[in-house]
Amino acid sequence: MPRFENKNKRMLQVQISNEKIFALAGSMVAYEGNIKFEKSTLGGGGIFKALKRAATGEGIPLMVCQGSGTIYFAKDAREVNVMPLMGEKLFVESSSLLAYDQSIKTDVVFRGLRGMTSGQGFFTTTVEGHGSVTLLSEGPIIALEVSPQTPLCVDPDAFIAYKGNLQQDFVFDVNWKTFVGQDSGESFQLRFSGQGVVYIQPAER
């Protein structure tokens, strides 16, 4: 199985041996060994799911990296976070995906009205299976636990991903001050309830 690890906090190092992984196109900064890089349209999800990504605007420019050696990835000096999946499903902003194991399956799901207010689209990307996923963030990713007793509200521009049995809703703070230009700037949030983990970054897009 490919070995994903941080070379440092802004660079990913992946070791492969006659294996392949998927990565964000253009994110390779160096490599050692005998490795081929090719454009990928499927991205571990099959033809139908690739078409769905393209139709919904959740398409991710991916490349497949195949062979034996060590590959180094980075993107705009953003921080790199390696997350092992043990059969879980992770709901993630597509712009935060850097690289993932070929055993990981991807898909797109509808996420409701969020895109009407945040400008980030109506859909979100899911990754699922056994293997490693690497996410990008502005600053270190922060994991916040959610339980039935403690729901969580998140600024959509700080949101990275979530996993678990969570319900995502939308909270609007619209009152007379909003209409006269004296709002707090936080008039829309994502609200998560249930049991799971939400990952955020200490910055806004």
Side-chain angles (χ1 to χ4, degrees):
M1 180 175 289
R3 183 178 177 183
F4 287 68
E5 59 185 356
N6 284 79
K7 181 66 175 178
N8 58 41
K9 65 180 181 179
R10 292 187 174 89
M11 183 176 292
L12 172 69
Q13 173 182 298
V14 184
Q15 296 177 335
I16 57 176
S17 178
N18 293 318
E19 297 163 310
K20 67 179 180 180
I21 62 169
F22 296 101
L24 183 66
S27 61
M28 185 276 292
V29 294
Y31 75 92
E32 302 164 342
N34 183 19
I35 300 172
K36 292 183 179 180
F37 301 89
E38 298 178 348
K39 181 179 179 181
S40 172
T41 56
L42 300 184
I47 294 177
F48 175 74
K49 292 178 181 178
L51 290 173
K52 193 195 317 187
R53 285 196 298 272
T56 59
E58 277 291 300
I60 310 166
L62 292 172
M63 60 183 177
V64 58
C65 315
Q66 186 169 7
S68 296
T70 302
I71 317 168
Y72 302 93
F73 299 97
K75 179 65 175 177
D76 299 331
R78 295 166 69 186
E79 294 207 11
V80 171
N81 309 268
V82 178
M83 302 183 66
L85 294 182
M86 303 298 292
E88 307 107 312
K89 178 183 289 186
L90 187 68
F91 296 78
V92 60
E93 286 289 342
S94 59
S95 61
S96 297
L97 275 175
L98 176 61
Y100 55 91
D101 197 297
Q102 75 171 96
S103 63
I104 298 295
K105 302 301 180 185
T106 65
D107 200 356
V108 174
V109 296
F110 180 67
R111 65 181 172 186
L113 298 176
R114 175 181 171 187
M116 295 181 64
T117 55
S118 69
Q120 295 180 26
F122 290 92
F123 300 85
T124 195
T125 296
T126 64
V127 292
E128 182 178 11
H130 291 80
S132 294
V133 174
T134 308
L135 304 182
L136 294 166
S137 64
E138 298 289 346
I141 274 186
I142 301 166
L144 300 175
E145 296 281 346
V146 180
S147 71
Q149 295 75 32
T150 56
L152 176 71
C153 290
V154 173
D155 187 308
D157 289 324
F159 172 75
I160 296 290
Y162 76 85
K163 66 179 180 180
N165 186 20
L166 291 177
Q167 174 67 43
Q168 178 182 307
D169 300 304
F170 312 95
V171 178
F172 299 90
D173 180 20
V174 180
N175 53 41
W176 69 271
K177 289 184 178 180
T178 302
F179 290 107
V180 298
Q182 297 182 19
D183 64 295
S184 66
E186 305 292 344
S187 58
F188 170 68
Q189 299 94 37
L190 302 175
R191 184 180 186 273
F192 296 93
S193 57
Q195 192 76 48
V197 180
V198 177
Y199 299 95
I200 65 172
Q201 62 183 6
E204 295 184 351
R205 296 180 182 86

